[in-house]
Amino acid sequence: MESFVSTHLHRLRSSTNLLLSQYEPLTLVITPLLALLIASILQSFINHVQDKGLKSALLGFVMDFVKLIPVVNDRIEAEKQKVVEKMQSGGKSKRDGWQTELPKAGLGKMVMDKLKDERGNDVVWQGKCSGTIYIGGSESGEHFSLINEAYSMFAHTNPLHLDVFQSVVRFEGEVVAMTAALLGSKESDSGGKICGNMTSGGTESILLAMKSSRDYMKAKKGIKKPEMIIPESAHSAYDKAAQYFNIKLWRVPVNKKFQADVKAMRRYINKNTILIVGSAPGFPHGIIDPIEELGELAHSYGICLHVDLCLGGFVLPFARKLGYPIPAFDFSVKGVTSISADVHKYGLAPKGTSIVLYKNHDIRKGLELLRLERGMERHRHVYVQHTCTEA
Ligand SMILES: *Cc1c(COP(=O)(O)O)cnc(C)c1O
């Protein structure tokens, strides 16, 4: 038996050596190294495809190769530099005369003249800057005076201390409740448990909703490598959330009508998916995504759906009352788990005010569930009171 095996091994060795003897030793050394190189390029390409999809991976690869040509690379860098300089509005010259240290003597009331002078250099926006300021026309002056007077009464309060500033706590709760009432909290389909809080803007509302959804899905389904799927038209706040909170982000091209492509989004759903997003409307085109279809999709997979009503939250409910045919977009849609609505856009409040709403306490509490798990119960009281106002 042993001699049988050894004869065969011996023969195999001789025939292999004979076969390889026709090649140069150098070829024999280089071939496996080359194969390793190709394998590693392939591996990184596959990783790219998994990360970014086939199209952008191919494009990235072609670009990487093209950039290896020095002339092309120099040209690309020069163009990039031009764009950067343009964005920094002409570079240093604009900053001539800027005050970069505290003045030796206080300016006193003169500071007001300085502010007025500087404001005179701003672009005239009145009624002319769409998507920049959300009120124009003759009534804006009176509106601003009223808002400024109200704001100045509370500009120095600290709402963290809710035992001291009970008025502010009440106002926050009331704004949350009123916004929720506009967005379906009174409909029986909403579940009647909508809660939320005020934030410093649409971006913060979205960040909080993404973090809560991530933590909720971790507690509910044990998802530790979270992914979210959004239409290409969604706001850049989702990129920020993905980076801050370690969520893999899939941006899916919109359909021919510039709406979220629900079928295409479905294809990206896997066991790590925590959330999908729809905007009503989205910022780039002002087009409303099919929220009901997205709701069905989210519901059937047991994942979260955030509706971005930053722009539409204080328009759509009224447009609907006026009789415009607006499909359902709020908590009356099954599957919607959170909503953001900017009070500082069509709510006509001063900059720095937005609302984030959650379908129920469990979703909002995503964060708190984890805190409790880790025995960090100490802040529970303040946290719950401060951030959640049952609508
Ligand atoms: C404005 C806007 C946001 C972000 O709001 P900011 O208040 O600028 O942070 C997000 N989504 C949509 C659709 C918006 O219009």
Side-chain angles (χ1 to χ4, degrees):
M1 178 70 191
E2 204 196 306
S3 72
F4 176 79
V5 172
S6 75
T7 356
H8 266 272
L9 277 178
H10 193 74
R11 270 199 209 149
L12 185 68
R13 186 176 155 193
S14 326
S15 59
T16 313
N17 276 338
L18 187 69
L19 183 75
L20 292 179
S21 67
Q22 8 173 350
Y23 298 103
E24 260 187 274
L26 190 64
T27 315
L28 292 177
V29 173
I30 286 180
T31 311
L33 289 178
L34 214 65
L36 257 174
L37 183 71
I38 291 172
S40 91
I41 291 176
L42 251 163
Q43 172 76 53
S44 88
F45 181 71
I46 290 170
N47 285 348
H48 249 77
V49 172
Q50 276 173 347
D51 252 24
K52 306 211 161 113
L54 184 64
K55 205 166 127 193
S56 77
L58 274 174
L59 205 71
F61 251 66
V62 172
M63 283 309 282
D64 281 352
F65 274 112
V66 171
K67 276 196 220 157
L68 289 178
I69 309 166
V71 188
V72 177
N73 194 38
D74 289 352
R75 192 65 195 271
I76 293 174
E77 286 305 316
E79 285 300 317
K80 266 197 211 161
Q81 194 54 36
K82 262 192 223 162
V83 175
V84 170
E85 268 168 26
K86 203 172 166 195
M87 279 167 77
Q88 289 169 346
S89 354
K92 270 199 167 154
S93 60
K94 273 222 161 172
R95 277 177 260 157
D96 282 348
W98 279 21
Q99 183 104 29
T100 55
E101 279 176 47
L102 284 173
K104 292 232 161 50
L107 298 178
K109 288 213 161 144
M110 230 172 60
V111 78
M112 288 311 287
D113 297 332
K114 276 198 107 171
L115 293 181
K116 278 180 199 153
D117 279 355
E118 278 306 319
R119 190 169 68 160
N121 295 329
D122 288 348
V123 171
V124 178
W125 57 263
Q126 278 81 357
K128 293 180 183 166
C129 283
S130 168
T132 307
I133 292 213
Y134 296 84
I135 186 170
S138 53
E139 70 273 37
S140 63
E142 219 175 302
H143 178 72
F144 287 161
S145 309
L146 182 75
I147 293 283
N148 290 343
E149 195 183 336
Y151 202 84
S152 68
M153 286 171 69
F154 297 93
H156 297 279
T157 59
N158 183 347
L160 183 62
H161 298 276
L162 33 111
D163 46 347
V164 181
F165 300 108
Q166 294 177 31
S167 55
V168 182
V169 175
R170 173 180 172 158
F171 298 150
E172 178 184 2
E174 286 179 339
V175 177
V176 168
M178 284 189 265
T179 308
L182 279 175
L183 301 176
S185 72
K186 305 278 191 217
E187 310 284 328
S188 58
D189 289 342
S190 75
K193 291 253 174 356
I194 313 296
C195 60
N197 59 278
M198 192 168 251
T199 70
S200 63
T203 300
E204 192 190 355
S205 291
I206 289 169
L207 291 176
L208 292 179
M210 298 305 108
K211 185 180 188 312
S212 303
S213 306
R214 183 197 71 174
D215 295 345
Y216 171 67
M217 290 302 273
K218 186 173 177 194
K220 186 180 152 198
K221 285 190 169 179
I223 295 179
K224 296 204 174 82
K225 286 180 151 187
E227 300 184 12
M228 58 183 181
I229 306 162
I230 69 173
E232 204 165 32
S233 55
H235 195 266
S236 55
Y238 301 95
D239 296 281
K240 294 181 185 175
Q243 290 185 21
Y244 293 167
F245 307 132
N246 238 336
I247 305 170
K248 187 163 164 178
L249 179 72
W250 297 98
R251 258 188 197 272
V252 179
V254 289
N255 65 20
K256 286 200 182 86
K257 289 193 259 167
F258 296 98
Q259 285 181 317
D261 188 336
V262 182
K263 267 197 199 139
M265 285 170 76
R266 176 198 288 268
R267 287 200 285 274
Y268 285 83
I269 295 181
N270 63 35
K271 65 180 192 333
N272 290 325
T273 307
I274 56 161
L275 165 132
I276 56 176
V277 170
S279 314
F283 194 78
H285 316 108
I287 283 175
I288 299 176
D289 289 329
I291 304 301
E292 283 165 302
E293 279 176 58
L294 288 166
E296 266 169 41
L297 186 62
H299 184 74
S300 68
Y301 281 91
I303 56 180
C304 297
L305 166 60
H306 180 78
V307 181
D308 190 340
L309 282 166
C310 283
L311 200 53
F314 294 96
V315 177
L316 296 190
F318 302 107
R320 201 180 226 183
K321 266 194 177 171
L322 288 171
Y324 289 94
I326 312 248
F329 56 86
D330 58 18
F331 284 113
S332 61
V333 177
K334 190 165 77 176
V336 174
T337 49
S338 58
I339 283 179
S340 49
D342 283 355
V343 199
H344 70 195
K345 285 184 182 155
Y346 288 107
L348 303 187
K351 269 293 178 209
T353 44
S354 171
I355 296 288
V356 58
L357 296 170
Y358 302 103
K359 182 160 174 93
N360 57 48
H361 286 247
D362 284 346
I363 299 170
R364 181 197 53 80
K365 276 198 312 191
L367 181 91
E368 200 196 340
L369 288 176
L370 292 177
R371 279 177 178 222
L372 291 177
E373 262 171 34
R374 292 178 195 145
M376 291 164 69
E377 228 163 324
R378 215 155 29 99
H379 299 297
R380 185 165 182 268
H381 181 66
V382 172
Y383 182 77
V384 170
Q385 282 249 11
H386 183 54
T387 61
C388 190
T389 311
E390 183 114 14

